[in-house]
Amino acid sequence: MIEYINELYLTDKTKNKIDKIKNDILNEKLISLVCIIILSECESDVFDIIPLNNLKFRKNLNDKLLVLGIAENKKAAIKLCAKMIEEYMMKKSDKSMREYFKDKL
């Protein structure tokens, strides 16, 4: 199951296409270079970057994926993650980075 945080982190290129991207994910048209950013399954990491094509392989998992951001490719996703970390650092939150982003649901 895929859930999105209320205010997705998006690049300039994905902002204009967000409805189409979400629709493609919903209809399992996973042939795009687009990458999603999720909370990492590994507790020692914060984010995982997953190309949409790789969601096919996760299909049999019942785990909920909380999508934090969407970027047009892996390079843009890495830059978007850096921007997200910078936002967290500027907030000087008492929460861990994982909790900070999990609370955005």
Side-chain angles (χ1 to χ4, degrees):
M1 185 166 100
I2 296 178
E3 287 188 58
Y4 302 92
I5 62 171
N6 293 328
E7 293 183 34
L8 276 170
Y9 293 90
L10 303 168
T11 62
D12 290 337
K13 290 185 179 179
T14 56
K15 277 181 190 172
N16 299 331
K17 300 177 183 178
I18 189 60
D19 291 330
K20 182 188 181 321
I21 294 168
K22 284 183 175 182
N23 193 39
D24 286 352
I25 293 170
L26 181 65
N27 293 313
E28 298 180 8
K29 293 181 182 177
L30 308 175
I31 56 173
S32 175
L33 293 176
V34 170
C35 293
I36 61 172
I37 301 167
I38 64 169
L39 283 175
S40 179
E41 294 173 352
C42 178
E43 289 294 321
S44 62
D45 292 333
V46 180
F47 307 122
D48 283 338
I49 297 172
I50 302 174
L52 283 185
N53 289 339
N54 290 9
L55 287 182
K56 293 182 236 184
F57 304 113
R58 300 175 66 106
K59 192 173 185 176
N60 61 349
L61 297 177
N62 292 327
D63 295 341
K64 177 173 64 173
L65 290 179
L66 177 60
V67 177
L68 305 172
I70 300 176
E72 64 272 11
N73 56 44
K74 190 170 183 175
K75 184 177 180 179
I78 291 169
K79 288 181 181 179
L80 190 56
C81 285
K83 189 175 173 181
M84 293 163 67
I85 292 168
E86 189 175 299
E87 174 191 303
Y88 168 79
M89 300 300 275
M90 296 296 284
K91 297 277 183 179
K92 299 183 183 193
S93 176
D94 292 339
K95 301 176 186 176
S96 73
M97 196 177 303
R98 289 181 65 85
E99 289 173 0
Y100 175 79
F101 288 104
K102 198 179 276 189
D103 286 348
K104 290 187 169 258
L105 179 60

